[in-house]
Amino acid sequence: MLLLSVLLLSSCSKVRIENCTRLQVKGKVVSDAAVDDVDISVRAGDYSDMSSVPGNAGLLGEGKTDENGNFDFTSLLASDRMVVIEINESLSDSNELSSAIFFNDQEQKELYNLGEVNLPKRIQFNLSVENTSGTSDTLIYNFSFQRARKFYIWEGSDYVEYDEGSNYISIYRQIPSDTIRRLRFNTRANTTIEFIYNLGENPQQKIEIPVNSDNTSYEFEY
């Protein structure tokens, strides 16, 4: 039996609700991890930056998946705001799944059928960079990875994944006196981290690091 949403009538005071109009949200979460009891929420948002976290938007309705990952619930509809649908937005340490956020600022719809939403496992990856040789050369490196949160925007007649900003790139400069740096970040299972570095005047090198449940860390020594 599907769990229906809890309509938060208090949201009417935060956003403009015309005649407390309802919208229906349905779909199915698929993943290699457990898909039961996944949180889905509908919020009223107003964003120009798709990479921002919409947790402060007005909450309009909530639902959960059943044991098979299906969800189908009703929410209030804000007439003057973007519709933001968040699936598994909490990325706490105990949460096994990645998340997905859907934005629609182009049209008001009464039915949001998201179809199958693939949520890969969330991997907390540990990366360490250590000067074990005692070299006096400076190391400059960057790495890119797939974030544990996917963004989708409504274009024309369907949602499409929003690529810009989805990959996160960090650039670091490690001088000889820095012996070790440890980094921890969330990424998706079955993806690849690209680690690119220059040591002193040496040519640029690239290392591809696979990410999965058995490979959650990498130590780079130079």
Side-chain angles (χ1 to χ4, degrees):
M1 179 178 179
L2 297 177
L3 297 175
L4 297 179
S5 68
V6 177
L7 296 180
L8 302 184
L9 298 179
S10 61
S11 297
C12 291
S13 62
K14 299 178 182 179
V15 296
R16 184 180 300 166
I17 306 291
E18 289 189 2
N19 299 321
C20 279
T21 304
R22 267 60 168 174
L23 61 88
Q24 183 182 4
V25 179
K26 62 186 299 185
K28 182 176 183 178
V29 172
V30 295
S31 178
D32 292 335
V35 293
D36 61 305
D37 207 35
V38 176
D39 292 324
I40 302 101
S41 62
V42 179
R43 297 181 182 272
D46 184 13
Y47 302 97
S48 59
D49 181 6
M50 293 294 105
S51 64
S52 64
V53 179
N56 62 346
L59 181 61
L60 300 174
E62 293 180 300
K64 286 183 179 291
T65 58
D66 64 12
E67 64 275 10
N68 297 313
N70 297 298
F71 57 91
D72 189 347
F73 64 94
T74 304
S75 170
L76 293 174
L77 174 63
S79 62
D80 59 342
R81 300 288 186 91
M82 177 195 302
V83 174
V84 182
I85 302 174
E86 304 173 359
I87 300 180
N88 198 46
E89 172 55 15
S90 173
L91 292 180
S92 64
D93 289 344
S94 61
N95 199 334
E96 223 183 346
L97 295 176
S98 56
S99 65
I101 303 177
F102 296 80
F103 298 86
N104 184 356
D105 63 350
Q106 297 184 20
E107 64 175 290
Q108 297 287 6
K109 294 159 53 69
E110 294 183 359
L111 171 62
Y112 286 80
N113 188 348
L114 304 182
E116 287 194 349
V117 181
N118 186 9
L119 296 185
K121 284 186 177 180
R122 181 178 66 94
I123 300 292
Q124 189 175 83
F125 200 87
N126 295 283
L127 174 66
S128 68
V129 181
E130 184 175 6
N131 183 351
T132 57
S133 68
T135 179
S136 58
D137 289 332
T138 294
L139 176 73
I140 298 176
Y141 60 95
N142 67 71
F143 61 96
S144 63
F145 61 92
Q146 298 288 316
R147 289 181 177 179
R149 179 183 287 116
K150 291 184 179 181
F151 295 93
Y152 297 86
I153 59 173
W154 184 262
E155 287 191 357
S157 59
D158 203 356
Y159 282 104
V160 296
E161 187 169 357
Y162 183 70
D163 292 330
E164 184 178 352
S166 294
N167 292 340
Y168 184 77
I169 300 176
S170 291
I171 301 176
Y172 294 92
R173 180 175 180 267
Q174 198 150 320
I175 59 177
S177 60
D178 295 334
T179 57
I180 187 169
R181 173 174 281 153
R182 293 186 176 90
L183 303 162
R184 176 185 293 180
F185 50 91
N186 290 322
T187 184
R188 308 174 202 166
N190 302 317
T191 58
T192 300
I193 296 171
E194 288 191 348
F195 185 91
I196 301 172
Y197 69 94
N198 285 92
L199 181 59
E201 299 299 323
N202 294 314
Q204 186 180 83
Q205 303 289 327
K206 181 172 74 171
I207 300 173
E208 293 187 346
I209 308 168
V211 179
N212 53 58
S213 298
D214 298 320
N215 189 33
T216 61
S217 65
Y218 185 80
E219 297 177 359
F220 179 78
E221 299 178 348
Y222 66 99

